Amino acid sequence: MRIEVIRSGGFAGIERRAVLDTAGRPDAAHLHGVARATVEQAGGAPRPGVPDGFHYEITVDGHTVHCADPHLTDAQRDLIQAVLKEGA
């Protein structure tokens, strides 16, 4: 599974992008679960974030969802942290 996260916004407005391929990873089953939940929980239009908050574009095997702080689900937050390797 290929997972890409693009984080934009924030106070400085600097975009951060990372891609993670789950092939051969020991935590692949966990990542697949949170990736599926992220796509399924996305619903319709993303809720607006807060001023200077981060906005995320998450693409899982070609399916893209948008979300923003502080309205992240647990699955979205977990996936963002795993891909960007930092807090969300």
Coordinates of all heavy atoms in Angstrom, one line a residue:
M1 N 0.9 -1.2 0.0 CA 0.0 0.0 0.0 C 0.9 1.2 0.0 O 1.9 1.3 0.7 CB -0.9 0.0 1.2 CG -1.8 1.2 1.4 SD -2.9 1.1 2.8 CE -4.1 -0.1 2.3
R2 N 0.5 2.2 -0.8 CA 1.3 3.5 -0.9 C 0.4 4.6 -0.2 O -0.7 4.8 -0.6 CB 1.5 3.8 -2.4 CG 2.4 5.1 -2.6 CD 2.6 5.4 -4.1 NE 3.5 6.4 -4.3 CZ 3.2 7.7 -4.2 NH1 2.0 8.1 -3.9 NH2 4.1 8.6 -4.4
I3 N 1.0 5.3 0.7 CA 0.4 6.3 1.5 C 1.2 7.6 1.3 O 2.4 7.6 1.6 CB 0.2 5.9 2.9 CG1 -0.5 4.6 3.1 CG2 -0.5 7.0 3.7 CD1 -0.3 4.0 4.5
E4 N 0.5 8.7 0.9 CA 1.2 10.0 0.8 C 0.4 11.0 1.7 O -0.8 11.0 1.7 CB 1.2 10.5 -0.7 CG 1.8 11.8 -0.8 CD 1.9 12.3 -2.2 OE1 1.1 11.8 -3.1 OE2 2.7 13.2 -2.5
V5 N 1.2 11.8 2.4 CA 0.6 12.8 3.2 C 1.3 14.1 2.8 O 2.5 14.2 2.8 CB 0.8 12.6 4.7 CG1 0.3 13.7 5.6 CG2 0.1 11.3 5.1
I6 N 0.4 15.1 2.6 CA 0.9 16.5 2.3 C 0.3 17.4 3.4 O -0.9 17.4 3.6 CB 0.5 17.0 0.9 CG1 1.0 16.1 -0.2 CG2 1.0 18.5 0.7 CD1 0.5 16.4 -1.5
R7 N 1.2 18.0 4.2 CA 0.7 19.0 5.2 C 1.0 20.4 4.7 O 2.1 20.7 4.3 CB 1.4 18.7 6.5 CG 1.0 19.6 7.7 CD 1.8 19.4 8.9 NE 3.1 20.1 8.6 CZ 4.2 19.9 9.4 NH1 4.1 19.0 10.4 NH2 5.3 20.5 9.1
S8 N 0.0 21.2 4.8 CA 0.2 22.6 4.4 C -0.5 23.5 5.5 O -1.1 23.0 6.4 CB -0.5 22.9 3.1 OG -1.9 22.6 3.1
G9 N -0.2 24.8 5.4 CA -0.8 25.7 6.4 C 0.2 25.9 7.5 O 1.4 25.9 7.3
G10 N -0.4 26.2 8.7 CA 0.4 26.5 9.8 C 0.9 27.9 9.8 O 0.6 28.7 8.8
F11 N 1.5 28.3 10.8 CA 2.0 29.7 11.0 C 2.9 30.1 9.8 O 2.8 31.2 9.3 CB 2.6 29.9 12.3 CG 3.1 31.3 12.6 CD1 2.1 32.4 12.8 CD2 4.4 31.7 12.5 CE1 2.6 33.7 13.0 CE2 4.8 33.0 12.7 CZ 3.9 34.0 13.0
A12 N 3.9 29.3 9.5 CA 4.8 29.6 8.5 C 4.4 29.3 7.1 O 4.9 29.7 6.1 CB 6.2 28.9 8.8
G13 N 3.3 28.5 6.9 CA 2.8 28.1 5.6 C 3.7 27.2 4.8 O 3.6 27.2 3.6
I14 N 4.6 26.5 5.5 CA 5.5 25.6 4.8 C 4.9 24.2 4.5 O 4.4 23.6 5.4 CB 6.8 25.4 5.6 CG1 7.5 26.8 5.8 CG2 7.8 24.4 4.9 CD1 8.7 26.8 6.7
E15 N 4.9 23.8 3.3 CA 4.4 22.5 2.9 C 5.4 21.4 3.2 O 6.6 21.5 3.0 CB 4.0 22.5 1.4 CG 3.4 21.2 1.0 CD 3.0 21.2 -0.4 OE1 1.9 21.8 -0.8 OE2 3.7 20.6 -1.3
R16 N 4.9 20.3 3.8 CA 5.7 19.1 4.1 C 5.0 17.9 3.4 O 3.8 17.8 3.5 CB 5.7 18.9 5.6 CG 6.5 17.7 5.9 CD 7.7 18.0 6.8 NE 8.5 16.8 6.9 CZ 8.3 15.7 7.6 NH1 7.2 15.6 8.4 NH2 9.2 14.7 7.6
R17 N 5.8 17.1 2.7 CA 5.3 16.0 2.0 C 6.1 14.7 2.3 O 7.3 14.8 2.4 CB 5.3 16.3 0.5 CG 5.0 15.2 -0.5 CD 5.2 15.7 -1.9 NE 4.6 17.0 -2.2 CZ 3.6 17.1 -3.0 NH1 3.1 16.1 -3.6 NH2 3.0 18.3 -3.2
A18 N 5.4 13.6 2.4 CA 6.1 12.3 2.7 C 5.3 11.2 2.1 O 4.1 11.2 2.0 CB 6.4 12.1 4.1
V19 N 6.0 10.1 1.6 CA 5.4 9.0 1.1 C 5.9 7.7 1.8 O 7.1 7.7 2.1 CB 5.7 8.8 -0.5 CG1 5.1 7.5 -1.0 CG2 5.2 10.0 -1.2
L20 N 5.0 6.8 2.1 CA 5.3 5.6 2.8 C 4.8 4.4 2.0 O 3.6 4.4 1.6 CB 4.7 5.6 4.2 CG 5.0 4.4 5.1 CD1 5.7 4.9 6.4 CD2 3.8 3.7 5.5
D21 N 5.6 3.4 1.8 CA 5.2 2.2 1.2 C 5.2 1.1 2.3 O 6.2 0.9 2.9 CB 6.2 1.8 0.0 CG 5.7 0.6 -0.7 OD1 4.8 -0.1 -0.3 OD2 6.3 0.3 -1.8
T22 N 4.1 0.5 2.5 CA 4.0 -0.5 3.6 C 4.6 -1.9 3.3 O 4.6 -2.7 4.2 CB 2.5 -0.6 4.0 OG1 1.8 -1.2 2.9 CG2 1.9 0.7 4.4
A23 N 5.0 -2.1 2.1 CA 5.5 -3.4 1.7 C 6.7 -3.8 2.6 O 7.7 -3.0 2.7 CB 5.9 -3.4 0.2
G24 N 6.6 -4.9 3.2 CA 7.7 -5.5 4.0 C 7.8 -4.9 5.4 O 8.7 -5.2 6.1
R25 N 7.0 -3.9 5.8 CA 7.1 -3.3 7.1 C 6.4 -4.2 8.1 O 5.4 -4.8 7.9 CB 6.4 -2.0 7.1 CG 7.1 -0.9 6.3 CD 6.4 0.4 6.3 NE 6.2 0.9 7.7 CZ 6.9 1.8 8.2 NH1 7.8 2.5 7.6 NH2 6.7 2.2 9.5
P26 N 7.0 -4.3 9.3 CA 6.4 -5.1 10.4 C 5.1 -4.6 10.9 O 4.3 -5.3 11.4 CB 7.5 -5.2 11.5 CG 8.4 -4.0 11.2 CD 8.3 -3.8 9.7
D27 N 4.9 -3.3 10.7 CA 3.6 -2.7 11.1 C 2.6 -2.5 10.0 O 1.7 -1.7 10.1 CB 3.9 -1.3 11.8 CG 4.6 -0.3 10.9 OD1 5.1 -0.7 9.8 OD2 4.7 0.9 11.3
A28 N 2.8 -3.2 8.9 CA 2.0 -3.0 7.7 C 0.5 -3.3 8.0 O -0.4 -2.5 7.6 CB 2.4 -3.9 6.6
A29 N 0.1 -4.3 8.8 CA -1.3 -4.6 9.1 C -1.9 -3.4 9.8 O -3.0 -3.0 9.5 CB -1.4 -5.8 9.9
H30 N -1.2 -2.8 10.8 CA -1.7 -1.7 11.5 C -1.9 -0.5 10.6 O -3.0 0.2 10.6 CB -0.8 -1.3 12.7 CG -1.1 0.0 13.3 ND1 -2.2 0.1 14.1 CD2 -0.5 1.2 13.3 CE1 -2.3 1.4 14.5 NE2 -1.3 2.1 14.0
L31 N -0.9 -0.2 9.8 CA -1.0 0.9 8.8 C -2.1 0.7 7.8 O -2.9 1.7 7.5 CB 0.3 1.1 8.1 CG 1.5 1.6 8.9 CD1 2.8 1.5 8.2 CD2 1.2 3.0 9.4
H32 N -2.4 -0.5 7.4 CA -3.5 -0.8 6.4 C -4.8 -0.5 7.1 O -5.7 0.1 6.5 CB -3.5 -2.2 6.0 CG -2.3 -2.5 5.0 ND1 -2.1 -3.8 4.5 CD2 -1.3 -1.8 4.6 CE1 -1.0 -3.8 3.8 NE2 -0.5 -2.6 3.8
G33 N -4.9 -0.8 8.4 CA -6.2 -0.6 9.1 C -6.5 0.9 9.3 O -7.6 1.3 9.1
V34 N -5.5 1.6 9.7 CA -5.7 3.1 9.9 C -5.9 3.8 8.6 O -6.6 4.8 8.5 CB -4.6 3.8 10.8 CG1 -4.7 3.2 12.2 CG2 -3.2 3.6 10.2
A35 N -5.2 3.3 7.5 CA -5.4 3.9 6.2 C -6.8 3.7 5.7 O -7.4 4.6 5.2 CB -4.4 3.3 5.2
R36 N -7.3 2.5 5.9 CA -8.7 2.2 5.4 C -9.7 3.1 6.2 O -10.6 3.7 5.7 CB -9.0 0.7 5.6 CG -8.6 -0.1 4.5 CD -9.2 -1.5 4.6 NE -8.3 -2.6 4.3 CZ -7.3 -3.1 5.1 NH1 -7.0 -2.5 6.2 NH2 -6.6 -4.1 4.7
A37 N -9.5 3.2 7.6 CA -10.3 4.0 8.4 C -10.3 5.4 8.0 O -11.3 6.1 8.0 CB -10.0 3.8 9.9
T38 N -9.1 5.9 7.7 CA -8.9 7.3 7.2 C -9.8 7.6 6.0 O -10.5 8.6 6.0 CB -7.5 7.6 7.0 OG1 -6.7 7.5 8.2 CG2 -7.3 9.0 6.4
V39 N -9.7 6.7 5.0 CA -10.5 6.9 3.8 C -12.0 6.8 4.1 O -12.8 7.6 3.6 CB -10.0 6.0 2.7 CG1 -10.9 6.0 1.5 CG2 -8.6 6.3 2.3
E40 N -12.4 5.8 4.9 CA -13.8 5.6 5.1 C -14.4 6.7 6.0 O -15.6 7.0 5.8 CB -14.0 4.2 5.8 CG -13.7 3.0 4.9 CD -13.6 1.7 5.7 OE1 -13.8 1.7 6.9 OE2 -13.3 0.7 5.0
Q41 N -13.7 7.2 6.9 CA -14.2 8.2 7.8 C -14.2 9.6 7.2 O -14.7 10.6 7.9 CB -13.4 8.3 9.1 CG -13.5 7.0 9.9 CD -12.5 6.9 11.1 OE1 -11.6 7.8 11.2 NE2 -12.6 5.9 11.9
A42 N -13.7 9.8 6.0 CA -13.5 11.1 5.5 C -14.8 11.8 5.2 O -14.9 13.0 5.4 CB -12.7 11.1 4.2
G43 N -15.8 11.1 4.8 CA -17.1 11.7 4.5 C -17.1 12.7 3.4 O -16.3 12.5 2.4
G44 N -17.9 13.7 3.5 CA -18.0 14.7 2.4 C -16.9 15.7 2.5 O -15.7 15.4 2.6
A45 N -17.3 17.0 2.4 CA -16.3 18.1 2.4 C -15.6 18.2 3.7 O -16.3 17.9 4.8 CB -17.1 19.4 2.1
P46 N -14.4 18.5 3.7 CA -13.6 18.6 5.0 C -14.1 19.8 5.8 O -14.6 20.8 5.3 CB -12.2 18.8 4.6 CG -12.3 19.4 3.2 CD -13.5 18.8 2.6
R47 N -14.1 19.6 7.1 CA -14.5 20.6 8.1 C -13.4 21.7 8.0 O -12.2 21.3 7.9 CB -14.7 20.1 9.5 CG -15.8 19.1 9.6 CD -15.9 18.5 10.9 NE -16.1 19.4 12.0 CZ -16.1 19.1 13.3 NH1 -15.9 17.9 13.6 NH2 -16.3 20.0 14.2
P48 N -13.8 23.0 8.1 CA -12.7 24.0 8.1 C -11.8 23.9 9.3 O -12.3 23.5 10.4 CB -13.5 25.3 8.0 CG -14.8 25.0 8.6 CD -15.1 23.5 8.2
G49 N -10.6 24.2 9.1 CA -9.7 24.1 10.2 C -9.7 25.5 11.0 O -10.7 26.2 11.0
V50 N -8.6 25.7 11.7 CA -8.5 26.9 12.5 C -7.4 27.8 11.9 O -6.5 27.3 11.1 CB -8.1 26.6 14.0 CG1 -9.3 25.8 14.6 CG2 -6.9 25.8 14.1
P51 N -7.4 29.1 12.1 CA -6.4 30.0 11.6 C -5.0 29.5 12.0 O -4.8 29.1 13.1 CB -6.7 31.3 12.2 CG -8.1 31.3 12.5 CD -8.4 29.9 12.9
D52 N -4.1 29.4 11.1 CA -2.7 29.0 11.3 C -2.7 27.5 11.6 O -1.6 27.0 12.1 CB -2.0 29.8 12.3 CG -1.8 31.2 11.9 OD1 -1.6 31.4 10.7 OD2 -1.8 32.1 12.7
G53 N -3.7 26.7 11.4 CA -3.7 25.3 11.7 C -3.2 24.6 10.4 O -3.1 25.1 9.4
F54 N -2.9 23.3 10.6 CA -2.5 22.5 9.5 C -3.7 21.9 8.7 O -4.7 21.5 9.3 CB -1.6 21.4 10.0 CG -0.2 21.8 10.5 CD1 0.2 21.6 11.8 CD2 0.6 22.5 9.6 CE1 1.4 22.0 12.2 CE2 1.9 22.9 10.0 CZ 2.3 22.7 11.3
H55 N -3.5 21.8 7.4 CA -4.4 21.1 6.6 C -3.7 19.9 6.0 O -2.5 20.0 5.7 CB -4.9 22.0 5.4 CG -5.6 23.2 6.0 ND1 -7.0 23.2 6.1 CD2 -5.2 24.4 6.4 CE1 -7.3 24.4 6.6 NE2 -6.3 25.1 6.8
Y56 N -4.4 18.8 5.8 CA -3.7 17.5 5.3 C -4.4 17.0 4.1 O -5.7 17.0 4.0 CB -3.7 16.5 6.4 CG -3.0 16.9 7.6 CD1 -3.7 17.5 8.7 CD2 -1.7 16.7 7.8 CE1 -3.1 17.9 9.8 CE2 -1.0 17.1 8.9 CZ -1.7 17.7 10.0 OH -1.1 18.1 11.1
E57 N -3.7 16.6 3.1 CA -4.2 15.8 2.0 C -3.5 14.4 2.1 O -2.3 14.3 2.1 CB -3.7 16.5 0.7 CG -4.2 15.7 -0.5 CD -3.8 16.5 -1.8 OE1 -4.2 17.6 -2.0 OE2 -3.0 15.8 -2.6
I58 N -4.4 13.4 2.3 CA -3.9 12.1 2.5 C -4.4 11.2 1.3 O -5.6 11.2 1.0 CB -4.5 11.5 3.8 CG1 -4.1 12.3 5.0 CG2 -4.0 10.0 4.0 CD1 -4.8 12.0 6.3
T59 N -3.4 10.6 0.6 CA -3.8 9.7 -0.5 C -3.3 8.3 -0.2 O -2.2 8.0 0.1 CB -3.0 10.2 -1.8 OG1 -3.4 11.6 -2.0 CG2 -3.5 9.4 -3.0
V60 N -4.3 7.4 -0.3 CA -4.1 6.0 0.0 C -4.4 5.2 -1.3 O -5.6 5.2 -1.6 CB -4.9 5.5 1.2 CG1 -4.7 4.0 1.4 CG2 -4.6 6.3 2.4
D61 N -3.4 4.7 -1.9 CA -3.7 3.9 -3.2 C -4.6 4.6 -4.1 O -5.6 4.0 -4.6 CB -4.2 2.5 -2.8 CG -3.1 1.6 -2.3 OD1 -1.9 1.9 -2.5 OD2 -3.4 0.6 -1.7
G62 N -4.4 5.9 -4.4 CA -5.2 6.6 -5.3 C -6.4 7.3 -4.8 O -7.1 8.1 -5.5
H63 N -6.8 7.0 -3.6 CA -8.0 7.7 -3.0 C -7.5 8.8 -2.1 O -6.8 8.6 -1.1 CB -8.8 6.7 -2.1 CG -9.3 5.5 -2.9 ND1 -10.4 5.6 -3.8 CD2 -8.9 4.2 -3.0 CE1 -10.6 4.5 -4.4 NE2 -9.7 3.6 -3.9
T64 N -7.9 10.0 -2.4 CA -7.5 11.2 -1.6 C -8.6 11.8 -0.8 O -9.7 11.9 -1.2 CB -7.0 12.3 -2.6 OG1 -6.0 11.8 -3.4 CG2 -6.5 13.5 -1.9
V65 N -8.2 12.1 0.5 CA -9.1 12.7 1.4 C -8.4 14.0 2.0 O -7.2 14.1 2.0 CB -9.5 11.8 2.6 CG1 -10.3 10.6 2.1 CG2 -8.3 11.3 3.4
H66 N -9.2 14.9 2.4 CA -8.7 16.2 3.0 C -9.2 16.3 4.5 O -10.4 16.0 4.7 CB -9.2 17.4 2.2 CG -8.6 17.3 0.8 ND1 -7.5 17.9 0.4 CD2 -9.1 16.8 -0.3 CE1 -7.2 17.8 -0.8 NE2 -8.2 17.0 -1.3
C67 N -8.4 16.8 5.3 CA -8.8 17.0 6.7 C -7.9 18.1 7.3 O -7.0 18.5 6.7 CB -8.6 15.7 7.5 SG -7.0 14.9 7.4
A68 N -8.3 18.6 8.4 CA -7.6 19.8 9.0 C -7.7 19.7 10.6 O -8.6 19.1 11.1 CB -8.3 21.1 8.6
D69 N -6.6 20.2 11.2 CA -6.6 20.4 12.6 C -7.7 21.4 13.0 O -7.9 22.3 12.3 CB -5.3 20.9 13.1 CG -4.2 19.9 13.2 OD1 -4.5 18.7 13.4 OD2 -3.0 20.3 13.0
P70 N -8.4 21.3 14.1 CA -8.3 20.2 15.1 C -9.3 19.1 14.9 O -9.6 18.4 15.9 CB -8.6 21.0 16.4 CG -9.6 22.0 15.9 CD -9.2 22.3 14.5
H71 N -9.8 18.9 13.7 CA -10.8 17.9 13.5 C -10.3 16.6 12.9 O -11.0 16.0 12.1 CB -11.9 18.6 12.5 CG -12.3 19.9 12.9 ND1 -13.1 20.1 14.0 CD2 -12.1 21.1 12.4 CE1 -13.4 21.4 14.2 NE2 -12.8 22.0 13.2
L72 N -9.2 16.2 13.4 CA -8.7 14.9 12.9 C -9.2 13.7 13.7 O -9.4 13.8 14.9 CB -7.1 14.8 13.0 CG -6.3 15.9 12.3 CD1 -4.9 15.8 12.6 CD2 -6.6 15.8 10.8
T73 N -9.5 12.6 13.0 CA -10.0 11.4 13.7 C -8.7 10.8 14.3 O -7.6 11.1 13.9 CB -10.7 10.4 12.8 OG1 -9.7 10.0 11.8 CG2 -11.9 11.1 12.1
D74 N -8.9 9.8 15.2 CA -7.7 9.1 15.7 C -6.9 8.4 14.6 O -5.7 8.4 14.6 CB -8.2 8.1 16.8 CG -8.7 8.7 18.1 OD1 -8.3 9.9 18.3 OD2 -9.4 8.1 18.8
A75 N -7.7 7.8 13.7 CA -7.0 7.1 12.5 C -6.2 8.1 11.7 O -5.1 7.8 11.3 CB -8.0 6.4 11.7
Q76 N -6.8 9.2 11.4 CA -6.1 10.2 10.6 C -4.8 10.7 11.3 O -3.7 10.7 10.7 CB -7.0 11.4 10.3 CG -8.1 11.1 9.4 CD -9.2 12.2 9.3 OE1 -9.2 13.1 10.2 NE2 -10.0 12.2 8.3
R77 N -4.9 11.0 12.6 CA -3.8 11.4 13.4 C -2.7 10.4 13.4 O -1.5 10.7 13.2 CB -4.2 11.8 14.8 CG -3.1 12.5 15.6 CD -3.7 13.0 16.9 NE -4.9 13.8 16.8 CZ -4.9 15.1 16.5 NH1 -3.7 15.7 16.2 NH2 -6.0 15.8 16.4
D78 N -3.1 9.1 13.6 CA -2.1 8.0 13.7 C -1.4 7.9 12.3 O -0.2 7.7 12.3 CB -2.8 6.7 14.1 CG -1.9 5.6 14.5 OD1 -0.7 5.8 14.7 OD2 -2.4 4.5 14.6
L79 N -2.1 7.9 11.3 CA -1.6 7.7 9.9 C -0.6 8.9 9.6 O 0.5 8.7 9.1 CB -2.7 7.6 8.9 CG -2.2 7.2 7.5 CD1 -1.6 5.8 7.5 CD2 -3.4 7.2 6.5
I80 N -1.0 10.1 9.9 CA -0.2 11.3 9.6 C 1.1 11.2 10.4 O 2.2 11.4 9.9 CB -1.0 12.6 10.0 CG1 -2.1 12.8 9.0 CG2 0.0 13.8 10.1 CD1 -3.1 13.9 9.4
Q81 N 1.0 10.8 11.7 CA 2.3 10.7 12.5 C 3.2 9.6 11.9 O 4.4 9.8 11.9 CB 1.9 10.4 13.9 CG 1.3 11.5 14.7 CD 0.8 11.2 16.0 OE1 0.6 10.0 16.4 NE2 0.5 12.2 16.9
A82 N 2.6 8.5 11.5 CA 3.5 7.4 10.9 C 4.1 7.8 9.6 O 5.3 7.5 9.4 CB 2.6 6.2 10.7
V83 N 3.4 8.5 8.8 CA 4.0 8.9 7.5 C 5.0 10.1 7.6 O 6.1 10.0 7.1 CB 2.9 9.2 6.4 CG1 3.5 9.7 5.1 CG2 2.0 8.0 6.2
L84 N 4.6 11.1 8.3 CA 5.4 12.3 8.5 C 6.5 12.1 9.5 O 7.4 12.9 9.6 CB 4.6 13.5 8.8 CG 3.7 14.0 7.7 CD1 2.9 15.3 8.2 CD2 4.4 14.3 6.4
K85 N 6.4 11.1 10.3 CA 7.3 10.8 11.4 C 7.5 12.0 12.4 O 8.6 12.3 12.8 CB 8.7 10.4 10.9 CG 8.6 9.1 10.1 CD 10.0 8.7 9.6 CE 10.0 7.4 8.8 NZ 9.2 7.3 7.7
E86 N 6.3 12.6 12.7 CA 6.3 13.7 13.7 C 4.8 13.8 14.1 O 3.9 13.2 13.5 CB 6.8 15.0 13.1 CG 6.0 15.5 12.0 CD 6.6 16.8 11.4 OE1 7.8 16.8 11.1 OE2 5.8 17.7 11.2
G87 N 4.6 14.6 15.2 CA 3.3 14.8 15.7 C 2.3 15.4 14.8 O 2.7 16.2 13.9
A88 N 1.1 15.1 14.9 CA 0.0 15.8 14.1 C -0.9 16.5 15.0 O -1.1 16.2 16.1 CB -0.7 14.7 13.3

